[in-house]
Amino acid sequence: VEPDVVTDVLIVGSGPAGASAALALSTYGVPNIVVTRYASLADTPRAHITNQRTMEVLRDLGVEEEVVAKATPQRLMGDTTFCTSLAGEELGRIRSWGNDPLVQAAHELASPTRMCDMPQHLMEPVLVDAAVARGTHLRFGTVYKSFVQDDDGVTVTVEDRLRGDEYTIRAKYLIGADGGRSQVAEDAGLPMGGQMGVAGSINIVFDMDLSKYTAHRPSTLYWVLAPGATVGGIGAGLVRCVRPWNEWLIVWGYDVTAGAPDLTTEYAESIVRRLVGDDEIPVTVKSSSAWTVNEMYAETYSNGRVFCAGDATHRHPPSNGLGSNTSIQDAYNLAWKLKLVLDGTASPGLLDTYTAERAPIGRQIVTRANKSIGETAPVFEALDGLSPQTPEQLWANIAARKDDTEAAEKQRAKLREAIAFKVYEFNAHGVDLNQRYSAESSSAVVPDGTPDPGFDRDPELYHQPTSRPGAKLPHAWITSGTRTLSTLDTVGRGRFTLLTGIGGAHWLRAAGAQDLEIATAVIGPGQEYEDPYGDWARLREVADGGALLVRPDGYVAFRHATAAASQEDAERLLTGAVRRILGHG
Ligand code: FDA
């Protein structure tokens, strides 16, 4: 039977993973179709923290400026506050999301981009609009039902919800970006570790002018310990800023074994009032929805011509803000590989590196996000709030920290330490930027014989750049005439790039001799790019005439420490590397 529609890549889902896969593929000129269940994009804020690595991806895909213009800037994200209600007592704060002066410096040194808060209902239209403008065909109200694959492609049956009928789409590859309940991942039989439904959460979106409680301690997150709350165990709730300071989202727990409560407007308003602690300010509840926290990751991200990305492969709580970020980064890792296989440049073996590179990251972030939840317990412990007791006792414990006693001094210290330890959730710069791929498992990384430098400091907290193959190209500000740009701006746009300096002429000629299109960037005095601050020379870990071959996703694939001994040598080494990367080795 002839399929009704034919394309190169069919993407199921228009969330962060699907939308960015579509954007990257269309940017690279790969025909693609997105089908998505509903008649609109995400209508609630959902994921929001957008880290520097994601901003680098969006910069390469040409939408960074639009996201910056629509997002809440980093400086308004950072005073994560612990309190008994927004109007009530403050228990302490932690400078978050790069707003601690030392971490801020680290952010500035690490990337040309800034973190921001971009709620998902604003992010998805930016990604999807740009994708459609560049060629993506988007089909709303279209549900994935099933697929069959053979040696040449995948035939997917979808349902048109408007017409109520089914039809088939034939694609060379299928991307399942259909979220935490992924039918594609299930049908592909992707092996999963972990557990679904470990906790219940309610999201309440509401309008309320809370400037008087928030503008002086601007933050994305306000953690509220609300003694006496009937739901959510110890009564901890999260008040999250959607737009400063009049649109908000509350995350409130419910007992998952008892099922979600009836989400009436009265119920939602009662939680808002409790966590805000002010009955005078008018509130308009816009929506409330229940969802479950999951703790799952796929061991393998693909089966034949079917690839999954985003929550389809990693499901975890929102702590550390990793969901949407990792989803976008998965898609970016996969898109250029599909492009090179589809245009015949690479062998399908290149696609195996997708699981090899991304599955360990998925596992790591699921573990990190869950650990962060556990690490909030000491804040409650410091107030003796974990053992069952009456709300009055908990209020008394909270009040006791103001006493002039030895016990109270100890309690104050414990509370300070507990809040400071939340740095692993709110300022984990290393978690955001230290993703390195291993040459042992990925053939798209060519070992250069150097030992793994590891990390000098805590790899979750501190970013450590390196140019060793498998790491993201280090960022340094360089210049071209009067223009200042990042080293990251010399790479990407769907191409490989060879970076070298004075003495790298053999490498440049070798790059030009490959079957693969390789852009070049020469950095040095009197060259196309200059390094006036010497930052690049300090970071590059190779000599002036050495070479870095950088993949379209900004990862170093191959490195040679020095100038090539001869033209022959340069060609032999670079050709060998390219063959390995493209799966022809
Ligand atoms: P995502 O779930 O965003 O997208 C899946 C897409 O697939 C959707 O477009 C969906 O319609 C479509 N789809 C699914 N099945 C389909 C089918 N059979 N056929 C066609 N289309 C199909 N994270 C966070 O950091 N902070 C938060 O507060 C929240 N809050 C939150 C609330 C709710 C209600 C949800 C559902 C999720 C969150 N999250 C969150 C998680 C965050 O939204 C998530 O990590 C990312 O959106 C993951 O992006 P994906 O693109 O992988 O999936």
Side-chain angles (χ1 to χ4, degrees), residues 11-20 34-38 40-42 44-49 120 124 139 141-145 158 176-184 203 238 240 249 251 289-292 309-325 327-328 330:
I11 300 160
V12 180
S14 55
S20 45
V34 174
V35 294
T36 189
R37 180 188 291 276
Y38 300 108
S40 66
L41 301 175
T44 53
R46 302 181 194 180
H48 57 123
I49 302 291
Q120 195 170 331
E124 284 185 15
R139 296 194 167 202
T142 305
V143 184
Y144 159 87
K145 302 299 277 187
V158 297
D178 50 341
R181 304 198 166 275
S182 174
Q183 189 63 43
V184 178
N203 276 11
L238 178 61
R240 172 188 140 192
L249 187 157
V251 185
S289 54
W291 52 292
T292 60
D311 276 17
T313 52
H314 37 73
R315 303 158 193 177
H316 52 85
S319 21
N320 293 69
L322 295 166
S324 158
N325 286 298
S327 302
I328 291 172
D330 286 345

Side-chain angles (χ1 to χ4, degrees), residues 80-135:
T80 302
T81 300
F82 292 81
C83 54
T84 59
S85 71
L86 288 199
E89 282 198 45
E90 183 176 306
L91 302 168
R93 301 179 201 177
I94 174 167
R95 293 189 188 89
S96 306
W97 315 119
N99 280 287
D100 174 285
L102 288 175
V103 186
Q104 192 170 27
H107 276 235
E108 291 206 11
L109 289 166
S111 173
T113 68
R114 293 287 152 269
M115 238 181 157
C116 62
D117 185 300
M118 183 69 170
Q120 195 170 331
H121 67 304
L122 302 180
M123 178 72 97
E124 284 185 15
V126 171
L127 301 173
V128 166
D129 285 356
V132 168
R134 293 176 201 175

Side-chain angles (χ1 to χ4, degrees), residues 233-285:
I234 37 178
L238 178 61
V239 182
R240 172 188 140 192
C241 177
V242 177
R243 306 305 290 167
W245 305 111
N246 48 28
E247 189 179 350
W248 300 86
L249 187 157
I250 277 177
V251 185
W252 183 248
Y254 70 87
D255 181 357
V256 76
T257 55
D262 194 10
L263 298 177
T264 60
T265 305
E266 293 69 45
Y267 175 80
E269 259 184 41
S270 73
I271 290 171
V272 171
R273 291 291 179 204
R274 193 193 300 272
L275 298 193
V276 171
D278 184 327
D279 292 341
E280 302 301 315
I281 307 175
V283 55
T284 310
V285 172

Side-chain angles (χ1 to χ4, degrees), residues 76-416:
L76 298 182
M77 292 171 68
D79 267 355
T80 302
T81 300
F82 292 81
C83 54
T84 59
S85 71
L86 288 199
E89 282 198 45
E90 183 176 306
L91 302 168
R93 301 179 201 177
I94 174 167
R95 293 189 188 89
S96 306
W97 315 119
N99 280 287
D100 174 285
L102 288 175
V103 186
Q104 192 170 27
H107 276 235
E108 291 206 11
L109 289 166
S111 173
T113 68
R114 293 287 152 269
M115 238 181 157
C116 62
D117 185 300
M118 183 69 170
Q120 195 170 331
H121 67 304
L122 302 180
M123 178 72 97
E124 284 185 15
V126 171
L127 301 173
V128 166
D129 285 356
V132 168
R134 293 176 201 175
T136 293
H137 290 274
L138 173 63
R139 296 194 167 202
F140 280 116
T142 305
V143 184
Y144 159 87
K145 302 299 277 187
S146 61
F147 74 79
V148 259
Q149 62 172 323
D150 51 53
D151 288 349
D152 306 315
V154 192
T155 301
V156 179
T157 302
V158 297
E159 178 198 342
D160 184 315
R161 294 179 77 193
L162 203 55
R163 291 197 315 229
D165 62 353
E166 292 189 352
Y167 62 94
T168 53
I169 302 176
R170 175 79 177 167
K172 291 178 185 136
Y173 291 96
L174 170 65
I175 298 180
D178 50 341
R181 304 198 166 275
S182 174
Q183 189 63 43
V184 178
E186 195 176 325
D187 293 349
L190 300 191
M192 295 272 176
Q195 213 187 327
M196 291 287 270
V198 291
S201 272
I202 296 166
N203 276 11
I204 301 166
V205 184
F206 60 103
D207 285 335
M208 195 172 190
D209 181 359
L210 293 177
S211 349
K212 78 189 240 205
Y213 300 122
T214 54
H216 63 287
R217 47 183 181 184
S219 187
T220 279
L221 302 177
Y222 301 83
W223 283 91
V224 180
L225 277 69
T230 48
V231 204
I234 37 178
L238 178 61
V239 182
R240 172 188 140 192
C241 177
V242 177
R243 306 305 290 167
W245 305 111
N246 48 28
E247 189 179 350
W248 300 86
L249 187 157
I250 277 177
V251 185
W252 183 248
Y254 70 87
D255 181 357
V256 76
T257 55
D262 194 10
L263 298 177
T264 60
T265 305
E266 293 69 45
Y267 175 80
E269 259 184 41
S270 73
I271 290 171
V272 171
R273 291 291 179 204
R274 193 193 300 272
L275 298 193
V276 171
D278 184 327
D279 292 341
E280 302 301 315
I281 307 175
V283 55
T284 310
V285 172
K286 294 163 82 167
S287 72
S288 24
S289 54
W291 52 292
T292 60
V293 172
N294 308 311
E295 201 180 328
M296 282 198 113
Y297 50 84
E299 316 269 0
T300 307
Y301 282 19
S302 67
N303 175 351
R305 293 174 168 266
V306 181
F307 292 80
C308 284
D311 276 17
T313 52
H314 37 73
R315 303 158 193 177
H316 52 85
S319 21
N320 293 69
L322 295 166
S324 158
N325 286 298
T326 311
S327 302
I328 291 172
Q329 292 157 21
D330 286 345
Y332 189 59
N333 181 287
L334 177 61
W336 67 269
K337 295 173 182 174
L338 283 173
K339 182 220 172 214
L340 290 183
V341 173
L342 280 162
D343 72 12
T345 307
S347 99
L350 174 60
L351 296 171
D352 295 340
T353 66
Y354 175 58
T355 284
E357 294 180 350
R358 297 306 296 174
I361 305 291
R363 202 162 44 235
Q364 182 208 336
I365 59 139
V366 171
T367 308
R368 177 65 255 168
N370 280 289
K371 207 167 156 204
S372 289
I373 291 202
E375 288 169 358
T376 306
V379 177
F380 305 123
E381 261 164 35
L383 303 166
D384 289 331
L386 281 183
S387 47
Q389 55 192 316
T390 62
E392 289 71 31
Q393 270 175 307
L394 191 49
W395 278 119
N397 293 345
I398 290 171
R401 81 192 196 288
K402 291 180 269 187
D403 292 348
D404 181 9
T405 62
E406 214 174 292
E409 184 160 354
K410 276 200 187 122
Q411 189 194 23
R412 287 191 292 272
K414 223 171 143 188
L415 185 60
R416 276 198 307 273

